[in-house]
Amino acid sequence: ECPLLLVCSSMVCLEIHRAISGETLELKDVDTQLLIVDLKKIIFKHWRVPPLCQRLIVGQHVLDDSDRLLAHCNLGGQTVSIVMLVSKEEIYKDLEHRARSKRQAAVRTLPSVTSVGDHEAIEALLARLQDGSDCIRKVALEALAQIAERGYSPAVAAVTSRLADRSEGVRKAALEALGQVAERNDRRAVAAVCARLADHCESVRSAAVRALGEIVEKADEPTIAQLCAELEHPKDYARQAAIQAVQRVVEQGDPAVVAAAAARLQHQDLHVRQAATLLLTRVAGRGDRNTIAILAALLEHSQDFARAAAVVALHQIAERGDAHAISLVTARLSHVDGNVRRAAVLSLSQLATENDHEAVTAICGLLEDENCYVRAAAVD
């Protein structure tokens, strides 16, 4: 019979020695009736090593979770010395378990007992991206974001493939993970993320915007061009997401974005022109002379809708009381096209300062305009 199985006391002191790191944890006045599984929970509170990964050894004996501490007390001693090994063996077994709860727990636990760049652990998680459970694919992506080093191509490729997952939660998690594992300006990753700006799920689109902020360098021209092209997307939510994304990756007043947005004020689709105007107001600073000059040039465009769009954009960029902008807008009050005149009335009302008699007189002159919409704007 092994002497370690003799009962020695109702209370003992424990010295837990962590292998490799050499750390020691002292626990005093521990009840000998304590189950080993409960001891592991106590150790977890101190060292954050999940019970599943703890292998406790006294002498040559590996302690079973169902054992009680008293079975391993030293004869005549008040202190029990225990060695703790950290083992991922049980986690890897549970990753393949038929029970979803077991697989999920193992996926969540793995990052806490490994380090960034542990390819064995990474490969184990990559396998779970093919799991039939949406929840497990999601938590596997979250775990990968913690331990996969940036630029590790197998992880980047596998995470990117999940951007088209049937589950909204998985797509969102994949975008968040890609923001952590893809290299900056990885063209394939950037293109894949940009495609999610048109996702029908709002939380996925928001995640795509955030991911672009993580993987795109400021003022990256190819990405800016790609995002500005999204202003022409048929879905409004995709256009709005593109605008948010542009704001993430450019500096205020970026000339390339201002030029791209101004160019789309000439687009035949009203919604595209509205999106372009909104982007201008978000990127160009209030009173930006370069943007005002671009808009002034558009006032001479051959298409009336482009001139009207430029008039509308002017009052959103120019400062109130800007004499140059006011003169540009006032000149359009007599334009042949009613939409341009109406836009000029609305813009002038925003640009002119209070008690600007010239502006008041100019607008009053349109109270009898032949176009009912122009008259209504003048009254307002």
Side-chain angles (χ1 to χ4, degrees), residues 156-198:
V156 174
V159 171
T160 301
S161 71
R162 290 296 103 199
L163 294 181
D165 196 279
R166 66 174 183 266
S167 164
E168 296 173 359
V170 173
R171 296 198 301 276
K172 178 175 179 288
L175 286 162
E176 292 169 345
L178 197 58
Q180 299 302 311
V181 303
E183 290 279 16
R184 292 274 185 173
N185 294 343
D186 179 326
R187 292 297 162 212
R188 290 185 179 181
V190 170
V193 173
C194 284
R196 287 298 104 199
L197 293 173

Side-chain angles (χ1 to χ4, degrees), residues 106-145:
V107 170
R108 290 188 183 280
T109 300
L110 189 54
S112 66
V113 293
T114 190
S115 56
V116 174
D118 182 336
H119 288 181
E120 182 183 17
I122 292 170
E123 293 301 324
L125 290 173
L126 292 180
R128 295 274 58 83
L129 295 184
Q130 305 300 322
D131 199 285
S133 165
D134 294 351
C135 181
I136 290 176
R137 294 197 304 280
K138 177 177 177 292
V139 295
L141 287 162
E142 293 168 350
L144 277 168

Side-chain angles (χ1 to χ4, degrees), residues 311-333:
V311 171
V312 171
L314 260 175
H315 88 258
Q316 298 187 49
I317 299 298
E319 300 276 7
R320 181 179 285 275
D322 185 319
H324 177 55
I326 289 174
S327 67
L328 290 171
V329 170
T330 302
R332 271 68 200 174
L333 291 175

Side-chain angles (χ1 to χ4, degrees), residues 333 344-346 348-349 352 358-368 377-379:
L333 291 175
V345 171
L346 296 174
L348 187 57
S349 68
E358 290 185 6
V360 171
T361 300
I363 291 176
C364 284
L366 295 174
L367 292 173
E368 302 297 329
V379 170

Side-chain angles (χ1 to χ4, degrees), residues 169-242:
V170 173
R171 296 198 301 276
K172 178 175 179 288
L175 286 162
E176 292 169 345
L178 197 58
Q180 299 302 311
V181 303
E183 290 279 16
R184 292 274 185 173
N185 294 343
D186 179 326
R187 292 297 162 212
R188 290 185 179 181
V190 170
V193 173
C194 284
R196 287 298 104 199
L197 293 173
D199 197 284
H200 68 273
C201 176
E202 182 180 1
S203 65
V204 175
R205 296 195 300 271
S206 297
V209 170
R210 293 192 298 272
L212 285 171
E214 295 288 342
I215 65 175
V216 175
E217 298 283 359
K218 290 285 187 181
D220 179 63
E221 292 184 6
T223 302
I224 291 173
Q226 187 171 1
L227 290 174
C228 288
E230 290 296 311
L231 294 177
E232 300 180 24
H233 197 282
K235 295 293 186 181
D236 179 64
Y237 58 69
R239 295 192 294 269
Q240 297 301 318

